[in-house]
Amino acid sequence: MGNDVAADLRWSVVEPWDGVRVHGYFFVQHMFATHDAVRKTLPIFSGRLPEPVHVGESEFRLGRLVGVPAGIYLHGNGFLCLTQAGESVDHTSANWRELLRPQDIWAALANAIAVSAAMRKPAAALLRAGGALYFFAPTDEAMQKLLQALTPVEEGQSVLSSADVAQLCLSAP
C-alpha cells in the first residue's frame, strides 16, 4: 500500500527522516469545524473518505507487541492506522522538524505493523499531531529496526506497547 496512499494526496512536505519518508500535511485546526468526524481527523482527503473500522482504544497484537492506535480506516485494499501524538503547539512547514517527536514516528509504525498482522492486510502508519497529519513510509532498514525490536530475546518476556518499541528503535544502533 505504502506510496499509493501518498501519491494521490497533496502533502505540504515530503522529506526523509532517519530511514523513514515523512509526508506531512499542515492545517489550521479550527478551519475543520466540520461535523464529519473522518474529514476532521483525516483532513487531507477531499474526495471519497476512508471508512472508519475501529475508532478508540482497540488492541492489536503481534507477538509481544500490543498496538493501540487511535483509529483504523479502510482505504483501498488496506488500512490507515492512525496514532495520536501528545498535545503540542501546531506543527507547520517551518517548525515540524523540531516538533515531530522520533518516538511518535516509531510508535505509529509499530501500531501499523500490529494492525497489519492482526487484520491480515497492509496498514499505512499515520500520525495526528497538533495541526498536522503525517504519513510514514519506512525504508527496509527502518522495518528491520522495528522487527529486531519485536524479536524476543528469551521466553516469557513481557508485552511491549508501541511506545516501548519506539524506545527500542531509538536506542538501536
Side-chain angles (χ1 to χ4, degrees):
M1 186 167 170
N3 290 334
D4 299 350
V5 170
D8 301 340
L9 304 174
R10 291 187 304 263
W11 296 96
S12 309
V13 298
V14 178
E15 289 188 30
W17 175 91
D18 195 27
V20 177
R21 181 166 293 285
V22 174
H23 300 73
Y25 177 73
F26 308 105
F27 54 92
V28 179
Q29 296 190 65
H30 66 78
M31 286 178 67
F32 287 94
T34 172
H35 295 298
D36 189 314
V38 175
R39 193 171 303 287
K40 192 174 198 165
T41 304
L42 305 172
I44 194 161
F45 289 94
S46 54
R48 193 161 156 248
L49 293 173
E51 188 180 315
V53 178
H54 288 277
V55 177
E57 307 277 309
S58 298
E59 284 189 0
F60 296 85
R61 297 193 71 132
L62 171 61
R64 298 168 55 209
L65 170 62
V66 178
V68 185
I72 299 172
Y73 301 83
L74 184 61
H75 183 62
N77 65 348
F79 295 102
L80 303 177
C81 176
L82 182 69
T83 299
Q84 181 68 51
E87 289 293 314
S88 77
V89 299
D90 278 0
H91 294 210
T92 66
S93 54
N95 70 8
W96 73 272
R97 280 195 166 276
E98 291 79 48
L99 294 176
L100 181 58
R101 298 171 354 145
Q103 57 266 42
D104 288 336
I105 295 173
W106 290 111
L109 290 168
N111 277 334
I113 284 177
V115 166
S116 179
M119 304 289 271
R120 291 184 167 75
K121 284 186 180 233
L126 297 177
L127 176 74
R128 266 300 295 264
L133 177 67
Y134 293 101
F135 162 64
F136 304 122
T139 59
D140 289 344
E141 292 79 22
M143 287 302 292
Q144 206 53 46
K145 221 184 236 195
L146 276 165
L147 294 174
Q148 281 177 326
L150 295 174
T151 304
V153 183
E154 55 197 54
E155 268 312 298
Q157 285 190 314
S158 60
V159 298
L160 296 171
S161 69
S162 54
D164 296 332
V165 172
Q167 286 306 317
L168 290 168
C169 289
L170 286 169
S171 60

